[in-house]
Amino acid sequence: MSRKSRKHRKTSNRQSGRRRGLLRSLLPSLFLALILAGSITLLYIDAQVRAIMDGEIDSEPSHVYARPLTIGNGDPMSLAHLARKLDRFGYHKTNQISQPGDYSIDQKQADLFIRKATNETIPGQSAIPVRIQTKNDQVVSIRNLKTGQALSTIALESPMIGTLQIGPHQDRIQLKLHQMPEILVHALLIMEDHKFSEHHGVDLKAILRAAVTNLISGKAVQGGSTITQQLVKNLFLSPEKTIKRKIKEAVYALVIEWRYSKTKILETYLNEVFLGQSGHRAIHGFPLASEFYFGRPIWDLRPHEVALLVGIIAAPSYYNPHRNPERALQRRNLTLNRMAEFGTLTPEAVIRYKNLPIGVTSRTQEKISGFPAYFDFLQRYLRLYYSEEILRTSGLDLHTTLDLDIQYAAQHALSQTLDKLEISKKIKSGTLQGAVIVVEPASGNILAVIGDRWAQNSGFNRATDIERQIGSLVKPAVYLTALKSSYGYTLASRLPDKPISLILEDGNRWSPKNYNEEYQDSVPLYQALAHSYNLPAVHLGMAIGIDNIIHTLNQLGLVRDIKPYPSVLLGSSQHNPLEMAQMYQAIANSGSLIPLRGLTQISNSKGETIARFSIQSVQTVPKTSARLVHHVLSQSVQFGTASRLGWTFPKNLRLAGKTGTTNQFRDSWFAGYSGNLLAVVWVGRDDNRPIGLTGSNGAMRVWEELMGNLDLTSTSKLGKGDLRYVQIDSENGLLASNECETRINLPFIPGTQPTSYSSCVKIVHNNR
């Protein structure tokens, strides 16, 4: 070796030694740095875990419930309608009832097994089997099948219809572990992590076993993640499949297992696991998935339904029972087989359950289930009392007045009728829009709110937000004002029916006309309203004063400022269906105004009532005057502008209603009521262009379709009370007798009836 090479080698050795010495001196520091970095990372992960597990997960959205279904002796109820209601409440039709949630029905009676509400926050009653008997579409008997005891009324628990969502795309229903069915917990552990109680968040044997199985199969057929790791994936990590993410998943799982009990982890998983997607709405947790896929609470599911929900965890999109029912069925049956292997179900039971259909709700029902217009109204109402943060995180129970059956019926009536109108009137498909409000007149309860022709659409709520002229819907207020005793008018009073021309404040001339442009010189008041003549209403309104009519509108619940222009007499002021429902509620309730309400009470997460929304009734207009107007509105159904209804509904219901049509046929309105239900319908176009429909051949057709599918009571009691019925001559409004050919029976406020006899009576008497 040369001297130069030896020298170079010595130099290289010295440099290498210095590097090794430097490395040895740095090792402790590097080790400490790694420990520090690891500790910081673990502290960060621990903080993140606690923030989610102790914070957002424990924050529950407000749960929203429809009103319970009550059935009492004497209630109108066809068995066909009862079956429909029970279906919507998530009851199962069977040949013979055997467990809560079952019902059977024939031509004379229905048997149902009322559920016991196991969720502490949902009001309910003990599970009992009952028999309901009907006659002529009326409940005549309710009996406890177990004890034979006669019952006056029964109530089915309030169904949950949704939550005030935590975020724009997520929804969930939070339950405690003890509120979950035991069979669900068993099935979950069998399919996803049967060693859940043994490991500490990561099961290395399961991971290796899954890796070998997948390698042999050439594809991912088995997963090795524990329930804790799956929870991590749902709450903290992206769905990407990389080694780095799997390592992070394991670390998070170990931290969660160190920090929380197995009970807490399992409960959180059951409430948070992703189980499907509906548009922009993510379905998280078994309680919500149960409502979404089966329309029933989780504790009401049968074993085969539990097996389906557990089975789709592995791939909710791939096993989606709506889009891929065959795959979902195979996965359900696999889960049932595993449940038999572990002894949760007997082999005989598994065979029976595997022969049952998949049984999920239809996609049509899935789309309708959101009730966007009602929820929009509800949130506006709630913001008057609570902050949005409280509503979204405090786990409140909101008990609403929404009637599940009526809401569905109203949406169906609007959608189907507008389709038919567009075809029959040769209107471009999709052009018409509409809104419906259904109210219980005696309580002011809002039973249904439809703000769009298409159920799934949210955004613009036409039931509460449109500003449209109301046309002849205003006329009952004009006549109600005149029928107050101080003005001296009666139903028999004759009103001018001839052209009138008025100079308005802006100098323009207003010359209204009757719809048919025909004139009769004079008509009795009751005919003018029943046939909705324009000119008598204008003459009458000008005689008693527009300010007085606006005052009556205010008494009927219209609180907005209305300018005293003559055109107000024919409905030029702009309102929405909710306002019209309030106005007609007072008329249908004999002049007693009850502010419309959407809530009955609010409970906190402990089940304690923290707010009640009581009925507040004020007699704002005379009862007798309101009943006179009601009489004429019922005559409108018999021979006036709403006479079509007099042919399609039984006469004894004595339905009452008023059509409304605005200039150039831009808006079609109808407000009508039975003894128990009031509905207001608007039909028009969003661009406010003419639709070519009157109130009777547009909105009233929707009303007719809706009410024809509901159980109605008669308004007959509204025509009684303090009124006195007198026979008069319709030609002159004087007293008549049976001999008079033009006689009619009309109600009067006592003391206001005519005292003079018509000439037809005198002629008969003289001839005798």
Side-chain angles (χ1 to χ4, degrees):
M1 181 181 294
S2 67
R3 181 182 299 179
K4 185 176 181 180
S5 297
R6 288 196 299 269
K7 183 178 180 182
H8 176 74
R9 184 175 180 181
K10 289 179 181 178
T11 302
S12 177
N13 288 338
R14 284 196 299 270
Q15 290 175 345
S16 178
R18 283 196 297 268
R19 284 196 297 269
R20 285 195 297 271
L22 179 62
L23 183 61
R24 281 195 297 269
S25 65
L26 289 177
L27 275 176
S29 299
L30 290 172
F31 184 68
L32 289 173
L34 287 173
I35 292 176
L36 180 61
S39 299
I40 292 173
T41 301
L42 287 174
L43 287 173
Y44 169 77
I45 292 174
D46 183 55
Q48 196 177 16
V49 165
R50 284 187 288 112
I52 297 296
M53 296 287 286
D54 296 337
E56 294 178 14
I57 299 304
D58 288 338
S59 297
E60 297 184 33
S62 295
H63 303 153
V64 184
Y65 297 91
R67 73 172 184 171
L69 172 61
T70 58
I71 304 170
N73 277 316
D75 286 352
M77 182 77 71
S78 74
L79 289 174
H81 289 176
L82 175 59
R84 186 185 70 199
K85 292 173 192 254
L86 292 173
D87 287 339
R88 288 174 176 165
F89 269 62
Y91 278 68
H92 282 282
K93 187 175 183 179
T94 61
N95 292 328
Q96 185 175 0
I97 62 173
S98 61
Q99 59 184 329
D102 286 348
Y103 82 91
S104 64
I105 203 162
D106 58 29
Q107 295 180 346
K108 295 182 179 179
Q109 63 190 26
D111 292 345
L112 65 145
F113 211 128
I114 299 176
R115 299 188 188 106
K116 179 180 180 180
T118 57
N119 182 353
E120 296 171 347
T121 63
I122 301 177
Q125 60 190 66
S126 297
I128 56 171
V130 300
R131 173 164 292 168
I132 301 171
Q133 293 181 311
T134 65
K135 185 177 182 181
N136 298 325
D137 291 339
Q138 187 176 41
V139 177
V140 295
S141 172
I142 306 174
R143 184 164 54 88
N144 185 327
L145 284 175
K146 189 174 182 179
T147 65
Q149 177 187 4
L151 304 171
S152 60
T153 186
I154 57 173
L156 277 62
E157 71 285 356
S158 303
M160 182 182 290
I161 57 174
T163 61
L164 297 185
Q165 294 181 4
I166 292 176
H169 306 309
Q170 294 188 355
D171 200 358
R172 69 230 327 118
I173 299 171
Q174 300 283 110
L175 294 180
K176 298 298 182 183
L177 183 60
H178 71 270
Q179 295 171 319
M180 304 282 190
E182 189 174 350
I183 193 172
L184 168 63
V185 177
H186 287 174
L188 174 66
L189 296 179
I190 288 168
M191 290 298 291
E192 297 298 322
D193 192 356
H194 67 274
K195 292 187 176 181
F196 176 70
S197 61
E198 301 173 16
H199 62 68
H200 298 289
V202 179
D203 188 347
L204 294 177
K205 289 183 180 179
I207 293 173
L208 291 173
R209 184 171 59 251
V212 171
T213 302
N214 295 338
L215 184 63
I216 294 172
S217 301
K219 58 181 180 178
V221 297
Q222 190 177 106
S225 296
T226 65
I227 279 178
T228 313
Q229 287 174 280
Q230 292 182 44
L231 180 61
V232 169
K233 183 175 64 176
N234 272 270
L235 295 181
F236 301 100
L237 304 179
S238 64
E240 61 180 346
K241 296 182 178 181
T242 63
I243 297 296
K244 181 179 178 182
R245 193 198 69 85
K246 291 298 291 184
I247 293 172
K248 289 175 65 177
E249 179 185 286
V251 174
Y252 272 86
L254 291 169
V255 171
I256 288 176
E257 289 271 352
W258 171 71
R259 174 68 69 176
Y260 297 98
S261 68
K262 291 285 187 179
T263 298
K264 173 67 174 177
I265 294 169
L266 187 57
E267 179 183 290
T268 304
Y269 180 90
L270 287 164
N271 282 305
E272 291 297 319
V273 62
F274 175 71
L275 288 165
Q277 190 84 22
S278 175
H280 291 297
R281 183 190 188 203
I283 307 302
H284 284 270
F286 284 96
L288 182 63
S290 175
E291 301 280 356
F292 177 73
Y293 288 115
F294 297 105
R296 299 195 311 283
I298 188 71
W299 51 84
D300 248 4
L301 296 187
R302 272 64 169 176
H304 65 288
E305 295 165 335
V306 168
L308 175 68
L309 293 185
V310 170
I312 67 177
I313 291 174
S317 178
Y318 185 80
Y319 295 118
N320 185 312
H322 289 132
R323 294 196 300 266
N324 306 308
E326 292 183 1
R327 293 177 190 167
L329 188 64
Q330 291 175 358
R331 185 67 180 175
R332 181 202 72 176
N333 290 345
L334 171 63
T335 305
L336 288 170
N337 288 337
R338 294 292 305 279
M339 292 167 74
E341 290 175 19
F342 279 79
T344 301
L345 295 174
T346 64
E348 294 77 18
V350 167
I351 293 173
R352 185 169 68 252
Y353 289 130
K354 287 171 70 173
N355 288 326
L356 294 175
I358 198 166
V360 294
T361 57
S362 68
R363 289 189 62 92
T364 300
Q365 185 172 348
E366 171 196 336
K367 290 180 180 178
I368 294 177
S369 63
F371 312 136
Y374 195 93
F375 271 67
D376 173 71
F377 161 76
L378 183 64
Q379 293 196 54
R380 298 186 199 193
Y381 188 75
L382 282 165
R383 287 191 190 107
L384 299 174
Y385 306 96
Y386 297 95
S387 70
E388 191 160 328
E389 178 67 18
I390 290 176
L391 293 172
R392 292 185 183 277
T393 63
S394 299
L396 300 177
D397 287 341
L398 310 176
H399 297 276
T400 75
T401 58
L402 180 136
D403 187 295
L404 199 60
D405 183 60
I406 294 176
Q407 176 76 19
Y408 278 115
Q411 185 69 68
H412 175 82
L414 181 63
S415 301
Q416 296 297 312
T417 306
L418 294 190
D419 286 344
K420 293 176 183 177
L421 286 173
E422 287 175 343
I423 294 172
S424 64
K425 303 296 182 180
K426 297 182 179 179
I427 300 171
K428 182 181 177 182
S429 178
T431 297
L432 296 179
Q433 262 295 355
V436 183
I437 295 278
V438 185
V439 169
E440 193 173 57
S443 65
N445 287 339
I446 298 175
L447 307 179
V449 180
I450 309 298
D452 194 286
R453 170 181 182 167
W454 293 283
Q456 69 271 25
N457 283 4
S458 59
F460 184 54
N461 188 350
R462 293 164 188 81
T464 57
D465 292 343
I466 62 168
E467 300 286 336
R468 294 299 180 95
Q469 293 185 355
I470 58 174
S472 294
L473 253 59
V474 76
K475 288 177 182 174
V478 176
Y479 291 94
L480 180 57
T481 306
L483 290 169
K484 295 176 182 178
S485 58
S486 57
Y487 294 103
Y489 288 90
T490 70
L491 296 186
S493 298
R494 297 196 70 82
L495 304 176
D497 183 25
K498 51 189 176 182
I500 184 173
S501 185
L502 301 170
I503 303 297
L504 304 179
E505 290 185 356
D506 60 5
N508 290 324
R509 183 176 294 276
W510 184 52
S511 302
K513 299 177 181 180
N514 284 336
Y515 172 71
N516 58 9
E517 297 191 21
E518 296 179 359
Y519 312 101
Q520 305 177 55
D521 190 47
S522 70
V523 292
L525 186 149
Y526 75 90
Q527 280 189 13
L529 177 54
H531 290 286
S532 198
Y533 297 142
N534 287 337
L535 292 177
V538 174
H539 281 286
L540 179 62
M542 296 305 295
I544 61 180
I546 298 172
D547 286 333
N548 293 322
I549 292 167
I550 292 174
H551 178 63
T552 297
L553 288 170
N554 295 153
Q555 290 178 316
L556 294 174
L558 298 189
V559 296
R560 70 170 64 199
D561 182 41
I562 301 174
K563 302 299 181 183
Y565 302 142
S567 57
V568 166
L569 301 171
L570 298 183
S572 65
S573 62
Q574 297 185 341
H575 303 279
N576 57 55
L578 184 63
E579 290 177 287
M580 289 297 94
Q582 181 68 83
M583 171 180 164
Y584 276 83
Q585 177 278 323
I587 294 173
N589 200 39
S590 298
S592 179
L593 177 70
I594 301 175
L596 302 183
R597 65 174 187 166
L599 280 171
T600 57
Q601 69 179 49
I602 298 177
S603 304
N604 61 21
S605 57
K606 298 178 181 178
E608 302 166 337
T609 299
I610 60 174
R612 293 186 186 276
F613 298 83
S614 58
I615 297 173
Q616 299 177 345
S617 177
V618 180
Q619 192 74 40
T620 56
V621 295
K623 181 183 296 185
T624 50
S625 302
R627 285 181 170 172
L628 289 175
V629 169
H630 159 71
H631 174 83
V632 182
L633 294 181
S634 66
Q635 294 299 301
S636 176
V637 172
Q638 297 306 313
F639 61 79
T641 57
S643 59
R644 174 186 170 93
L645 301 180
W647 292 96
T648 55
F649 288 88
K651 302 288 185 184
N652 61 357
L653 287 177
R654 294 185 58 81
L655 300 177
K658 185 72 192 75
T659 56
T661 311
T662 61
N663 288 338
Q664 299 181 335
F665 303 98
R666 296 179 188 276
D667 303 280
S668 172
W669 290 90
F670 188 75
Y673 55 92
S674 64
N676 59 332
L677 296 175
L678 158 70
V680 174
V681 180
W682 168 83
V683 172
R685 287 175 58 128
D686 285 341
D687 59 11
N688 204 23
R689 293 172 61 186
I691 59 174
L693 297 172
T694 65
S696 60
N697 64 21
M700 194 178 79
R701 301 297 175 90
V702 178
W703 192 96
E704 179 183 9
E705 176 69 21
L706 167 61
M707 291 301 199
N709 281 296
L710 301 177
D711 296 303
L712 308 179
T713 62
S714 174
T715 67
S716 57
K717 62 180 181 180
L718 298 177
K720 300 177 181 179
D722 300 327
L723 299 180
R724 179 179 177 184
Y725 280 77
V726 176
Q727 199 165 240
I728 65 155
D729 185 346
S730 62
E731 294 292 328
N732 51 36
L734 300 178
L735 291 173
S737 62
N738 291 336
E739 293 86 351
C740 297
E741 293 182 1
T742 54
R743 68 185 181 278
I744 187 172
N745 214 32
L746 285 180
F748 291 84
I749 299 172
T752 67
Q753 69 270 20
T755 55
S756 301
Y757 285 91
S758 174
S759 57
C760 65
V761 177
K762 293 179 182 179
I763 292 172
V764 172
H765 279 237
N766 289 338
N767 289 340
R768 287 177 182 173

